[in-house]
Amino acid sequence: MTLTLTSHRGRDYPVELFTPDTAFTDTGAVYLFLRMPEGRSLQAQVLYVGESDRMASQLGHDRRPGGPWDRALALGFDTVGGLPLARPEDRALIAREFIHSWNPPCNDGHGTLTGLVGLTAPSAFQLRRAMVGK
């Protein structure tokens, strides 16, 4: 499934949504740990934003005890969002923009009641081969 997130700068980003048990590849991406809305709620929460040139390896590192994965799980993390980007400068710029837009509570220096994002209806379900393993 793809969800379009609009940053505080008014830029739209198509973020692909995956379950936490998805086997990712080592592709370059900005990724998010999200808590999706339940019932009739129209707000998701961005719990963590990261970027890496090797997403699968970085997610393994994020799962270390007390790391971002554990902190996000404690706050109800249920979805991984991914925006594949090959250029490191694009990943760094967009990751900073996401952090400034939603102040994710699991990124260092941010509060626990931040990160709320209003959602519109999601787009059709799509998986990019570059991000998903075999």
Side-chain angles (χ1 to χ4, degrees):
M1 178 182 295
T2 301
L3 178 70
T4 301
L5 296 179
T6 303
S7 75
H8 72 288
R9 296 182 188 267
R11 296 181 183 129
D12 291 337
Y13 294 97
V15 175
E16 297 178 62
L17 304 178
F18 304 93
T19 60
D21 62 350
T22 299
F24 292 97
T25 60
D26 269 339
T27 189
V30 172
Y31 62 96
L32 306 94
F33 297 163
L34 304 164
R35 180 174 59 200
M36 296 304 288
E38 294 181 17
R40 300 179 74 172
S41 174
L42 293 178
Q43 285 191 326
Q45 187 172 16
V46 176
L47 301 171
Y48 180 76
V49 174
E51 62 95 4
S52 178
D53 61 339
R54 296 178 7 184
M55 186 172 165
S57 298
Q58 183 61 46
L59 287 174
H61 182 70
D62 288 349
R63 289 181 179 176
R64 72 192 186 285
W69 188 278
D70 282 353
R71 294 192 312 267
L73 276 176
L75 295 173
F77 155 57
D78 59 8
T79 303
V80 176
L83 180 62
L85 296 164
R87 295 177 25 171
E89 57 272 19
D90 292 340
R91 290 193 305 270
L93 179 76
I94 292 171
R96 278 194 307 273
E97 186 170 342
F98 282 4
I99 290 168
H100 284 85
S101 293
W102 298 294
N103 300 311
C106 296
N107 285 85
D108 293 335
H110 297 282
T112 59
L113 297 177
T114 58
L116 292 178
V117 177
L119 299 180
T120 58
S123 302
F125 184 80
Q126 294 179 354
L127 291 178
R128 288 191 187 211
R129 284 281 170 216
M131 291 183 64
V132 179
K134 296 176 184 173

